[in-house]
Amino acid sequence: MTQPPQTPSVAGSRVVPLPRRTGAASPIVCLSHLRWDFVFQRPQHLMTRFAADRAVFYVEEPMPAAPGAPPSMEVRLCAQSGVTIVTPRTPEGMAGEPLDLVLRDLLDETLAAADIRDPVLWYYTPMMLPMSRHIVASAIVYDCMDELANFRFAPPGLRPLEQELIAHSDLMFTGGYSLYEAKQKLHPDIHPFPSSVDRAHFAQARAVPAGAGATPRLGFYGVIDERMDLDLIAAIADARPDWTLVMVGPVVKISEDDLPRRPNIEYVGPRDYDDLPAALAEWDVALMPFAINDSTRFISPTKTPEYLAGGRPVVSTRIRDVERHYGALSSVWIADTPAAFVDACEAALAMVRGSSTEWLDETDLTLADLSWDQTLLRMSAQLDRVQARKAAGRPADRERSSSPRRAVKPHYDVLVVGAGFAGAVMAERLAADAGKRVLVIDRRPHVAGNAWDHLDAAGVMIHEYGPHIFHTNSVDVFAYLSRFTRWRPYEHRVLAQVGEMLVPMPINRTTLNSLYGVDLQSDAEAAEFLASRAEPVDVVRTSEDVVVSAIGRELYETFFQGYTRKQWGLDPSELDKSVTSRVPTRTDTDDRYFTDTFQAMPLDGYTRMFERMLDHPNIEVRTGVAFEDVKAQVTWDHLVYTGPIDEYFGFRHGRLPYRSLQFRHETLAEPHAQVVATINFPDEATPWTRVTEYKHLTGQSHGSTSVTWEYPAAEGDPYYPIPRPENQTLFKQYEALAAAETDVSFVGRLATYRYYNMDQVVGQALATYRKLPGLATAAADPAEAVAGN
């Protein structure tokens, strides 16, 4: 909208009442991530039309308040549309729960001042849920335009909030058919509504026919962000320097320095919606040079029908909804490569310079039934149906309040604390197999626990909490996880830095030959060599006993003593024998770190595997929240607890000892930094224990590489239970308390104080689920129906 707004209604942290709107239709409170005064998009088109017969409050995401100013709500009436635009103003740096509480109160005051009760809550972003989930609504609508979680810099809590929003929405729309197909199983009342077009507005561009200019001009308007294929734009400009490429729109989430600069590329900045037909009129061909990536996977660009309504042919990369709805038109070309894109642009230019107008007639026929008014009518019909259904279920004489009412606490069959392996497996089984309604929470801002992987700033996939290599001998565990991921075969190899040499770890025959300058040719010779150095111990109790009795003190001191002291903060003589028993010594030349039957990495990463595991209509996920906070917000019948068991009981008998880790991540401007994924540093003088290069694990192709240095620590997140007899004695006291908690299941490494591998945690969770009395059904065999995702 281009008209100047009215003076904002702000008074400290209070809101000045606006004139009240009346009408039969329910008021709408629209909660959006798009600024109202930005280029007109779907929310503005729909809310402007809704405002013709009802009050519409358009709530924008917060903006910074003036320095030193208290939180406030800026409220203004858009004279052109009749929509009330509401903009929270909050102090810089305010975030998390304090911000949510302030925004909730500001919104309550705003709606109370305008006497807005039982509104339709119409969401365009799940990030607005914390400030509004408490409001009693006549209907809740989620109009999902994009897969926002796939966008660059998406907030870490977006995906679980979206799951909550979907679960509580009465009605769900999608901005295209691809997005509908991806989400259709998530909601029982979901409908695809591809974005429409104001044909008369964009038809103004036809006053200047395409192809009328002497020099070809090809253009794009819209946000220039990570969805743009910048290399493609550069390739077009380089291939045809006689063409002018016009890029209209703001540059967002990418640097201006990333933009290709050529004499024949013009970046003209943003234009108002009213000015877009004039910009379009200057072009001969309209471009949609979108990159093919996660952020464009489900888009259904509004600009496609807008370009066509303006009488401009369209050349696009292979965006599924563009190809699906418009690919058969002679005025639309789909191209996969820069060369094909240039060829398509040449064909489009030839067509518009020709004498035939059949392509325009065909275009107009396709667009004939497409309008925002029609979209509004169809959406309104769905909304009226849902509101009538909800109203029929309410008492007619229910008490009304002058302010928004708070909803009762949501109830769940099961609350799962922790979204790592133990919690995710339990949640999936309880939801998918037992049909239970499950809430999963995690204090971290993501799922997957310590296995969380993500793209770093350079675009390299890393494991934030150190390397996680999956291996198992369990057919059941591997088959179960295969429901949620395809696999990349991977066998882990580790080298140890000993002086100037890198030698295989665990110790094998190659290690011995390299260290001692010998030429052992067989398993028998290697076994004899090790036996000659072994120092038998009468009773093996400690980690030192295990190693010294098997291979002798020299190899023990070279490979185990310093590494163990760093890792555990204790000498091996003070640790249970199980610690060093995990690392075998071999007499053959097998240099694999593990010898399990199944060794592989999730093809799309651990995080994606967890997301699929938790992607179920019965599962709601909230991240970035603590158990203590959630306890006051919801109720449940059964609790699955995967956190530290001593924390659950308020450290009643004292704290169980854990070792922690610290990580230093770094990106290097070279394809590879190490010959294997992990190099161990057993020397006690070196402060880190290992360095991992992730591209070996993931198989990712990238010009740079990212590595992580791992430093053991006494303080920090609990990673490893310290295996000592006195610690087990303390744990047994907590285990006795846990046994008395009949409505709580304690699962996972922290809740059972066990040094488990990932596959062991999965196995333990599956076994725990099968034993749940009255909760589990005849649990499905985890090996059945292995899905290829």
Side-chain angles (χ1 to χ4, degrees):
M1 305 299 289
T2 57
Q3 291 191 344
Q6 294 183 350
T7 302
S9 301
V10 181
S13 63
R14 305 292 297 177
V15 181
V16 177
L18 294 170
R20 292 174 180 170
R21 301 283 302 271
T22 59
S26 299
I28 291 180
V29 177
C30 178
L31 302 116
S32 179
H33 59 294
L34 298 173
R35 310 226 73 77
W36 181 263
D37 292 327
F38 205 52
V39 175
F40 240 44
Q41 296 192 48
R42 177 182 178 119
Q44 291 92 331
H45 279 294
L46 292 175
M47 294 305 128
T48 294
R49 286 164 171 80
F50 272 126
D53 68 348
R54 68 178 80 204
V56 175
F57 280 65
Y58 187 90
V59 184
E60 302 179 320
E61 288 187 326
M63 294 286 287
S72 62
M73 194 71 96
E74 181 180 292
V75 183
R76 58 187 174 89
L77 183 67
C78 174
Q80 187 170 343
S81 67
V83 173
T84 300
I85 296 96
V86 180
T87 309
R89 297 281 181 176
T90 56
E92 288 274 13
M94 181 178 285
E97 186 176 358
L99 176 62
D100 293 339
L101 292 174
V102 166
L103 293 175
R104 185 185 66 184
D105 290 342
L106 288 174
L107 182 59
D108 282 354
E109 292 177 4
T110 303
L111 300 185
D115 196 24
I116 299 297
R117 293 180 293 184
D118 290 346
V120 174
L121 294 180
W122 191 294
Y123 289 89
Y124 281 101
T125 173
M127 298 308 294
M128 303 291 265
L129 192 59
M131 69 182 291
S132 57
R133 63 161 66 95
H134 65 285
I135 295 175
V136 175
S138 61
I140 300 175
V141 179
Y142 180 27
D143 193 1
C144 180
M145 296 195 302
D146 292 297
E147 189 66 273
L148 296 176
N150 289 349
F151 281 35
R152 193 175 188 184
F153 304 130
L158 191 149
R159 195 177 296 277
L161 281 175
E162 182 181 54
Q163 292 173 329
E164 179 185 351
L165 178 57
I166 291 173
H168 288 87
S169 294
D170 301 299
L171 187 59
M172 185 172 173
F173 302 136
T174 63
Y177 281 90
S178 294
L179 197 55
Y180 168 76
E181 290 167 348
K183 294 183 178 291
Q184 60 182 319
K185 295 182 180 179
L186 302 183
H187 198 282
D189 204 345
I190 183 172
H191 308 271
F193 278 94
S195 288
S196 194
V197 62
D198 186 341
R199 298 197 309 277
H201 180 66
F202 286 94
Q204 298 176 74
R206 297 193 184 193
V208 181
T215 302
R217 293 177 67 83
L218 300 86
F220 166 88
Y221 65 68
V223 177
I224 302 171
D225 57 13
E226 81 271 19
R227 292 173 293 178
M228 289 291 98
D229 190 336
L230 302 180
D231 291 337
L232 173 60
I233 296 169
I236 299 168
D238 291 340
R240 295 305 302 263
D242 55 319
W243 296 350
T244 298
L245 306 187
V246 185
M247 305 296 291
V248 178
V251 178
V252 177
K253 294 189 287 186
I254 61 174
S255 170
E256 294 270 359
D257 296 335
D258 294 333
L259 300 178
R261 302 290 180 177
R262 304 290 191 275
N264 58 333
I265 303 180
E266 298 178 2
Y267 297 97
V268 299
R271 292 289 184 271
D272 288 335
Y273 178 75
D274 290 345
D275 297 331
L276 291 181
L280 187 57
E282 298 178 358
W283 311 341
D284 301 303
V285 175
L287 305 178
M288 294 204 296
F290 289 111
I292 305 302
N293 56 31
D294 283 347
S295 63
T296 61
R297 184 179 175 190
F298 302 114
I299 63 173
S300 182
T302 307
K303 55 184 59 61
T304 314
E306 292 175 350
Y307 288 160
L308 294 171
R312 267 49 185 177
V314 175
V315 180
S316 175
T317 49
R318 196 170 295 278
I319 299 301
R320 187 175 179 185
D321 275 8
V322 175
E323 186 174 23
R324 182 203 304 257
H325 298 301
Y326 302 102
L329 292 177
S330 57
S331 54
V332 176
W333 281 262
I334 306 295
D336 289 317
T337 65
F341 207 97
V342 171
D343 290 345
C345 290
E346 290 177 338
L349 285 168
M351 186 185 73
V352 299
R353 289 173 175 171
S355 58
S356 175
T357 60
E358 289 184 4
W359 65 276
L360 278 172
D361 296 336
E362 180 191 35
T363 296
D364 290 342
L365 183 62
T366 300
L367 300 180
D369 295 328
L370 199 61
S371 74
W372 285 111
D373 291 336
Q374 285 294 319
T375 299
L376 182 79
L377 287 173
R378 293 166 58 207
M379 284 185 167
S380 295
Q382 298 289 353
L383 177 59
D384 291 344
R385 173 182 57 80
V386 167
Q387 286 186 289
R389 182 189 68 206
K390 290 191 70 174
R394 290 182 176 179
D397 59 347
R398 59 189 173 85
E399 180 183 352
R400 301 191 63 88
S401 170
S402 60
S403 61
R405 294 178 301 281
R406 308 283 171 164
V408 296
K409 290 182 180 181
H411 180 79
Y412 300 87
D413 297 318
V414 183
L415 172 63
V416 176
V417 178
F421 272 106
V425 171
M426 289 291 290
E428 189 278 333
R429 289 287 76 205
L430 285 161
D433 185 57
K436 302 300 180 182
R437 185 164 179 246
V438 182
L439 172 63
V440 180
I441 65 169
D442 200 294
R443 65 178 59 173
R444 284 176 171 164
H446 56 75
V447 299
N450 290 342
W452 182 54
D453 51 18
H454 64 99
L455 296 179
D456 64 11
V460 179
M461 178 71 79
I462 68 169
H463 296 183
E464 184 71 22
Y465 306 103
H468 283 69
I469 294 86
F470 187 80
H471 57 99
T472 187
N473 286 315
S474 170
V475 175
D476 283 355
V477 167
F478 191 73
Y480 172 75
L481 292 179
S482 295
R483 299 181 182 191
F484 313 105
T485 185
R486 289 181 293 163
W487 299 94
R488 174 181 180 264
Y490 172 75
E491 294 181 325
H492 192 48
R493 286 171 170 81
V494 175
L495 295 176
Q497 182 83 51
V498 179
E500 299 299 319
M501 289 189 295
L502 290 172
V503 295
M505 187 70 190
I507 296 169
N508 67 5
R509 196 192 313 156
T510 305
T511 311
L512 300 175
N513 286 335
S514 298
L515 281 178
Y516 293 100
V518 294
D519 187 24
L520 305 173
Q521 292 293 317
S522 67
D523 287 7
E525 290 179 10
E528 183 180 352
F529 182 88
L530 290 172
S532 68
R533 282 160 173 74
E535 301 175 21
V537 177
D538 291 337
V539 180
V540 175
R541 294 189 178 91
T542 70
S543 285
E544 178 180 337
D545 295 339
V546 171
V547 180
V548 172
S549 64
I551 61 176
R553 186 159 298 277
E554 183 179 1
L555 287 170
Y556 159 74
E557 292 176 351
T558 301
F559 288 99
F560 292 92
Q561 187 178 55
Y563 192 95
T564 305
R565 285 174 175 173
K566 291 189 294 184
Q567 180 73 11
W568 296 98
L570 295 167
D571 190 81
S573 62
E574 301 175 89
L575 287 167
D576 186 85
K577 61 184 179 180
S578 62
V579 173
T580 49
S581 295
R582 293 166 61 93
V583 184
T585 299
R586 300 174 184 148
T587 56
D588 57 16
T589 57
D590 187 350
D591 62 349
R592 298 174 301 163
Y593 199 78
F594 307 110
T595 57
D596 299 66
T597 303
F598 302 101
Q599 300 185 49
M601 297 291 290
L603 185 62
D604 301 315
Y606 285 101
T607 302
R608 189 72 187 98
M609 180 177 73
F610 274 82
E611 289 171 347
R612 291 176 180 139
M613 196 181 304
L614 296 170
D615 186 5
H616 191 279
N618 290 345
I619 297 177
E620 178 185 330
V621 179
R622 300 185 195 177
T623 57
V625 296
F627 179 39
E628 287 300 317
D629 296 331
V630 173
K631 282 197 294 188
Q633 300 169 2
V634 304
T635 60
W636 61 88
D637 295 326
H638 191 82
L639 176 68
V640 173
Y641 187 81
T642 71
I645 190 171
D646 53 343
E647 182 177 322
Y648 178 86
F649 289 106
F651 309 105
R652 186 180 308 176
H653 299 302
R655 292 179 180 269
L656 286 166
Y658 290 92
R659 284 294 280 178
S660 187
L661 295 171
Q662 295 178 357
F663 305 97
R664 177 164 65 91
H665 303 291
E666 186 173 329
T667 300
L668 307 175
E670 53 186 302
H672 274 293
Q674 301 182 166
V675 294
V676 293
T678 299
I679 295 179
N680 283 3
F681 292 82
D683 180 7
E684 193 171 359
T686 304
W688 55 84
T689 52
R690 58 182 177 177
V691 178
T692 298
E693 182 180 14
Y694 296 102
K695 286 169 63 178
H696 292 281
L697 310 182
T698 64
Q700 182 181 7
S701 178
H702 196 287
S704 299
T705 192
S706 293
V707 295
T708 294
W709 282 260
E710 196 166 313
Y711 299 81
E715 301 295 331
D717 288 345
Y719 282 87
Y720 303 112
I722 299 177
R724 301 186 69 190
E726 58 267 37
N727 298 341
Q728 273 301 303
T729 300
L730 177 58
F731 165 68
K732 289 297 181 182
Q733 296 181 59
Y734 285 114
E735 190 176 41
L737 295 176
E741 299 278 327
T742 57
D743 294 329
V744 183
S745 297
F746 294 87
V747 193
R749 177 184 282 190
L750 300 180
T752 57
Y753 205 64
R754 298 287 193 278
Y755 189 15
Y756 281 143
N757 291 329
M758 291 183 288
D759 66 317
Q760 293 171 316
V761 175
V762 174
Q764 183 203 35
L766 291 172
T768 301
Y769 167 71
R770 295 189 192 103
K771 296 174 183 176
L772 285 176
L775 278 179
T777 62
D781 181 359
E784 71 182 8
V786 176
N789 293 317

